[in-house]
Amino acid sequence: MKRSSGVRVAATVAVSVLSLALVTGCGGDSAGSDAKALSAAELKKSIIAQGDVKGYKVDASGKQLPKSKDQVKSSEEQCTPLAYAMSGQAPGDAASQTAVMVTQDKKKPTDNPSKSLEDLTEGEFEDSFTDALDLTMTVVGLSSYDGDGAEETFKSVSDAVEKCSGGFPLVMQGTDQKLTAITAEKASGAGDESVGFTAKSDAEDGDVATTHVEVVRHGSTIATYYTMNIGLMMTDKAYDVPAAVIDAQAAKLK
């Protein structure tokens, strides 16, 4: 069970909440200096809700997420937009913001006869434990800006992906961590501009925990997606930000 203990450390950060050449849509529409931010009420109506994404549950309670930016800190100021994007907080100085937790709604297997814990072999126990944690969870955040705020915020994020490639220290809700690498990856191309990246951190026993992030600008509004799957982290299997979640959120911002 070495992997489970190692990844659990990385998962604590993730739940407390999971190259510029790959930035897509750089020639997209500009929000413009006269852009008007959405109000708090408008933003709450614009974020995805229960029933908007088939196969996923949406929790708008915010109970698993940082309450404010004060709970998300880094000594590397240029990297803080990435830290905020990974916690559902606004990456920039927003006029309004909101966030939800979107979790894959997997049906429990019914074709496997149940065994008591005492009857499971070590391998069966680990497989069962890993399967139970094989759920994709995404923190979706929306923030809206006046004037050129959204464009400037997006640029601060895309710049940080390059400048913070060596990682940076992070304090999330009182928990200290060290992200060891930030790596650009192909974004979805949604909205006017989008950028994607992976965040890696060292767990116990030499394991590496990898989470995925995408940030998208829709006019004067920024959407952030921070995705983790603890079960797939433990088995070193690939995953990414669910396209269905990005598509559903983009549809509500049109």
Side-chain angles (χ1 to χ4, degrees), residues 8 20 60 70 96 108 138 155 157 170 200-201 215:
R8 193 177 300 115
L20 294 177
D70 290 340
S96 57
K108 295 181 179 179
T138 303
K155 185 177 187 305
V157 172
L170 175 64
K200 294 181 181 292
S201 59
V215 177

Side-chain angles (χ1 to χ4, degrees), residues 35 68 72 75 92 155 181:
S68 71
V72 183
S75 57
K155 185 177 187 305

Side-chain angles (χ1 to χ4, degrees), residues 124-164:
E124 288 175 333
F125 181 85
E126 185 167 354
D127 288 343
S128 177
F129 183 75
T130 301
D131 288 343
L133 295 177
D134 182 9
L135 288 173
T136 298
M137 297 179 287
T138 303
V139 179
V140 180
L142 290 186
S143 54
S144 202
Y145 305 77
D146 288 317
D148 293 329
E151 291 174 293
E152 293 171 356
T153 295
F154 182 85
K155 185 177 187 305
S156 73
V157 172
S158 59
D159 285 349
V161 172
E162 181 178 43
K163 294 176 180 177
C164 303

Side-chain angles (χ1 to χ4, degrees), residues 58-249:
V58 179
D59 181 0
S61 69
K63 61 186 179 182
Q64 297 171 307
L65 307 177
K67 303 301 181 186
S68 71
K69 287 186 173 182
D70 290 340
Q71 294 183 310
V72 183
K73 299 178 181 179
S74 176
S75 57
E76 300 290 337
E77 186 175 353
Q78 65 184 1
C79 303
T80 55
L82 304 186
Y84 293 145
M86 295 170 66
S87 63
Q89 296 293 314
D93 187 11
S96 57
Q97 67 176 52
T98 190
V100 297
M101 175 71 82
V102 182
T103 305
Q104 186 178 9
D105 189 10
K106 291 179 64 176
K107 297 186 183 303
K108 295 181 179 179
T110 56
D111 56 348
N112 207 12
S114 60
K115 285 185 179 181
S116 67
L117 291 178
E118 292 77 11
D119 294 333
L120 293 176
T121 65
E122 183 176 349
E124 288 175 333
F125 181 85
E126 185 167 354
D127 288 343
S128 177
F129 183 75
T130 301
D131 288 343
L133 295 177
D134 182 9
L135 288 173
T136 298
M137 297 179 287
T138 303
V139 179
V140 180
L142 290 186
S143 54
S144 202
Y145 305 77
D146 288 317
D148 293 329
E151 291 174 293
E152 293 171 356
T153 295
F154 182 85
K155 185 177 187 305
S156 73
V157 172
S158 59
D159 285 349
V161 172
E162 181 178 43
K163 294 176 180 177
C164 303
S165 61
F168 58 94
L170 175 64
V171 180
M172 184 84 73
Q173 293 178 298
T175 300
D176 291 321
Q177 329 198 10
K178 176 67 170 69
L179 299 180
T180 56
I182 298 295
T183 306
E185 62 181 358
K186 186 174 177 59
S188 66
D192 300 314
E193 302 177 281
S194 60
V195 61
F197 64 93
T198 61
K200 294 181 181 292
S201 59
D202 289 335
E204 295 175 3
D205 304 318
D207 287 336
V208 176
T210 302
T211 56
H212 299 267
V213 187
E214 179 155 340
V215 177
V216 183
R217 181 177 70 81
H218 298 266
S220 63
T221 298
I222 296 286
T224 61
Y225 306 89
Y226 174 52
T227 297
M228 74 209 102
N229 184 311
I230 300 171
L232 296 184
M233 285 183 200
M234 293 169 65
T235 53
D236 296 324
K237 293 181 180 177
Y239 70 98
D240 53 19
V241 179
V245 174
I246 294 176
D247 291 344
Q249 182 57 76

